[in-house]
Amino acid sequence: MTAFAAFALRPGMAGAKDYIDLEWTDLVPEGQAAIPPFIQGLIQHDGPSLSSQQPPSKGVRTEWNGEIVRLPGFIVPIDYSGTGVTAFILVPFVGACVHVPPPPANQLVFVTTEKPYESSGMFEPVNVIGMFGTASTSTQLADIAYALSADHIEPF
Protein backbone atom coordinates (compact mmCIF):
# COMPACT_ATOMS: atom_id res chain seq x y z
CA MET A 1 0.00 0.00 0.00
CA THR A 2 1.43 3.38 -0.92
CA ALA A 3 1.64 6.25 1.53
CA PHE A 4 -1.02 8.11 -0.46
CA ALA A 5 -3.42 5.19 -0.17
CA ALA A 6 -2.85 5.11 3.59
CA PHE A 7 -3.95 8.75 3.84
CA ALA A 8 -7.03 8.02 1.73
CA LEU A 9 -8.09 5.37 4.24
CA ARG A 10 -7.75 7.76 7.18
CA PRO A 11 -9.91 10.79 6.40
CA GLY A 12 -9.29 12.32 9.84
CA MET A 13 -5.60 12.70 9.07
CA ALA A 14 -4.87 16.02 7.47
CA GLY A 15 -2.04 16.62 5.08
CA ALA A 16 -0.33 19.99 5.09
CA LYS A 17 -2.08 22.86 6.88
CA ASP A 18 -4.03 25.05 4.54
CA TYR A 19 -3.63 28.20 6.67
CA ILE A 20 -0.93 30.25 8.34
CA ASP A 21 -1.00 30.36 12.15
CA LEU A 22 -0.70 33.95 13.34
CA GLU A 23 -0.19 35.31 16.84
CA TRP A 24 -1.06 38.84 17.96
CA THR A 25 2.61 39.81 18.07
CA ASP A 26 2.78 39.04 14.32
CA LEU A 27 0.41 41.95 13.62
CA VAL A 28 2.61 44.76 14.88
CA PRO A 29 5.64 46.10 13.02
CA GLU A 30 9.06 44.92 14.17
CA GLY A 31 10.26 46.48 17.42
CA GLN A 32 6.84 47.58 18.72
CA ALA A 33 5.12 46.27 21.83
CA ALA A 34 2.09 44.13 20.99
CA ILE A 35 -0.13 45.47 23.77
CA PRO A 36 0.93 48.59 25.65
CA PRO A 37 1.45 47.70 29.33
CA PHE A 38 -0.79 50.54 30.55
CA ILE A 39 -3.79 48.87 28.88
CA GLN A 40 -3.30 45.38 30.26
CA GLY A 41 -5.31 44.92 33.45
CA LEU A 42 -6.59 48.50 33.47
CA ILE A 43 -10.28 48.80 34.30
CA GLN A 44 -11.57 52.35 34.34
CA HIS A 45 -15.36 52.65 34.25
CA ASP A 46 -15.57 56.37 34.99
CA GLY A 47 -14.18 59.00 32.70
CA PRO A 48 -14.07 59.47 28.94
CA SER A 49 -15.31 56.79 26.57
CA LEU A 50 -12.98 53.85 26.12
CA SER A 51 -12.63 54.46 22.37
CA SER A 52 -11.24 57.92 23.09
CA GLN A 53 -8.51 56.24 25.17
CA GLN A 54 -7.31 54.04 22.29
CA PRO A 55 -3.56 54.50 21.80
CA PRO A 56 -2.39 55.36 18.29
CA SER A 57 -1.43 52.53 15.95
CA LYS A 58 2.08 52.69 14.54
CA GLY A 59 1.75 50.85 11.26
CA VAL A 60 0.51 47.48 10.06
CA ARG A 61 2.05 44.35 8.59
CA THR A 62 1.01 43.47 5.04
CA GLU A 63 2.80 40.13 4.55
CA TRP A 64 -0.41 38.14 5.03
CA ASN A 65 -2.75 40.22 2.85
CA GLY A 66 -4.85 37.80 0.83
CA GLU A 67 -3.59 34.76 2.76
CA ILE A 68 -5.70 32.22 4.65
CA VAL A 69 -4.74 32.51 8.33
CA ARG A 70 -5.80 31.21 11.72
CA LEU A 71 -5.84 33.68 14.60
CA PRO A 72 -6.99 33.04 18.18
CA GLY A 73 -8.78 35.73 20.15
CA PHE A 74 -11.91 36.82 21.94
CA ILE A 75 -15.24 37.91 20.40
CA VAL A 76 -16.70 41.39 20.85
CA PRO A 77 -19.99 41.11 18.88
CA ILE A 78 -20.94 43.89 16.46
CA ASP A 79 -23.76 42.45 14.32
CA TYR A 80 -26.15 39.49 14.52
CA SER A 81 -28.37 37.45 12.26
CA GLY A 82 -30.96 35.77 14.45
CA THR A 83 -29.00 34.45 17.43
CA GLY A 84 -25.70 34.13 15.55
CA VAL A 85 -22.91 36.69 15.30
CA THR A 86 -22.12 37.79 11.73
CA ALA A 87 -19.61 40.55 12.50
CA PHE A 88 -17.34 41.01 15.49
CA ILE A 89 -14.08 42.49 16.64
CA LEU A 90 -11.49 39.84 17.40
CA VAL A 91 -9.46 41.11 20.35
CA PRO A 92 -6.27 39.76 21.95
CA PHE A 93 -7.45 39.78 25.59
CA VAL A 94 -10.63 39.66 27.63
CA GLY A 95 -12.11 43.09 28.32
CA ALA A 96 -10.59 44.86 25.32
CA CYS A 97 -12.89 47.55 23.84
CA VAL A 98 -15.54 47.09 26.54
CA HIS A 99 -14.03 47.06 30.04
CA VAL A 100 -10.63 48.54 29.22
CA PRO A 101 -9.48 50.93 26.51
CA PRO A 102 -9.06 49.23 23.15
CA PRO A 103 -5.58 48.22 22.05
CA PRO A 104 -4.05 50.06 19.10
CA ALA A 105 -5.81 49.49 15.76
CA ASN A 106 -3.03 47.11 14.68
CA GLN A 107 -4.07 44.77 17.50
CA LEU A 108 -7.73 44.48 16.42
CA VAL A 109 -9.32 42.47 13.61
CA PHE A 110 -12.79 43.06 12.17
CA VAL A 111 -14.27 39.63 11.38
CA THR A 112 -17.22 38.96 9.12
CA THR A 113 -18.84 35.63 8.40
CA GLU A 114 -21.60 34.62 6.00
CA LYS A 115 -22.67 31.76 8.26
CA PRO A 116 -23.71 33.23 11.64
CA TYR A 117 -21.59 31.91 14.52
CA GLU A 118 -23.58 30.82 17.58
CA SER A 119 -21.43 32.52 20.19
CA SER A 120 -21.76 31.60 23.84
CA GLY A 121 -21.45 35.28 24.73
CA MET A 122 -19.15 38.24 25.06
CA PHE A 123 -15.43 37.44 25.01
CA GLU A 124 -15.81 33.82 23.93
CA PRO A 125 -12.34 32.47 23.05
CA VAL A 126 -12.21 31.30 19.42
CA ASN A 127 -9.91 30.42 16.56
CA VAL A 128 -10.87 32.15 13.32
CA ILE A 129 -9.71 30.84 9.95
CA GLY A 130 -10.20 32.86 6.79
CA MET A 131 -8.81 35.41 4.35
CA PHE A 132 -6.83 38.11 6.11
CA GLY A 133 -5.88 41.63 5.09
CA THR A 134 -5.30 45.20 6.12
CA ALA A 135 -8.48 47.26 6.11
CA SER A 136 -9.08 50.41 8.11
CA THR A 137 -12.44 50.20 9.87
CA SER A 138 -13.91 52.46 12.52
CA THR A 139 -16.63 51.43 14.98
CA GLN A 140 -18.00 53.22 18.03
CA LEU A 141 -15.80 50.90 20.12
CA ALA A 142 -12.49 51.33 18.32
CA ASP A 143 -10.53 51.91 15.15
CA ILE A 144 -9.46 48.63 13.55
CA ALA A 145 -6.53 48.01 11.16
CA TYR A 146 -7.19 44.45 9.96
CA ALA A 147 -10.06 42.43 8.51
CA LEU A 148 -10.70 38.71 8.30
CA SER A 149 -13.39 37.06 6.20
CA ALA A 150 -14.10 33.95 8.26
CA ASP A 151 -14.49 30.58 6.59
CA HIS A 152 -14.40 28.72 9.90
CA ILE A 153 -14.83 29.78 13.54
CA GLU A 154 -14.30 27.29 16.33
CA PRO A 155 -14.15 27.48 20.11
CA PHE A 156 -10.57 27.82 21.35
Side-chain angles (χ1 to χ4, degrees), residues 36 38-39 42-56 98-104 140-143:
F38 72 90
I39 289 179
L42 174 68
I43 298 178
Q44 182 180 62
H45 295 282
D46 298 327
S49 73
L50 295 177
S51 64
S52 70
Q53 299 175 43
Q54 183 177 22
V98 177
H99 296 295
V100 298
Q140 64 186 31
L141 296 176
D143 292 329

Side-chain angles (χ1 to χ4, degrees), residues 99-114:
H99 296 295
V100 298
N106 63 11
Q107 283 291 278
L108 299 172
V109 179
F110 190 78
V111 178
T112 55
T113 179
E114 287 185 25

Side-chain angles (χ1 to χ4, degrees), residues 36-95:
F38 72 90
I39 289 179
Q40 297 178 26
L42 174 68
I43 298 178
Q44 182 180 62
H45 295 282
D46 298 327
S49 73
L50 295 177
S51 64
S52 70
Q53 299 175 43
Q54 183 177 22
S57 183
K58 296 180 180 164
V60 294
R61 306 266 308 260
T62 59
E63 297 96 299
W64 303 285
N65 280 355
E67 297 286 345
I68 303 298
V69 305
R70 178 173 73 170
L71 184 66
F74 300 91
I75 291 177
V76 176
I78 297 292
D79 200 10
Y80 291 88
S81 177
T83 59
V85 177
T86 56
F88 59 90
I89 303 172
L90 190 66
V91 300
F93 57 91
V94 171

Side-chain angles (χ1 to χ4, degrees), residues 18-19 68-72 75 88 90 111-117 126-131 148-156:
D18 55 352
Y19 54 82
I68 303 298
V69 305
R70 178 173 73 170
L71 184 66
I75 291 177
F88 59 90
L90 190 66
V111 178
T112 55
T113 179
E114 287 185 25
K115 179 183 176 197
Y117 177 71
V126 294
N127 273 318
V128 181
I129 299 171
M131 184 161 305
L148 203 160
S149 178
D151 294 324
H152 183 71
I153 303 168
E154 62 190 16
F156 184 77

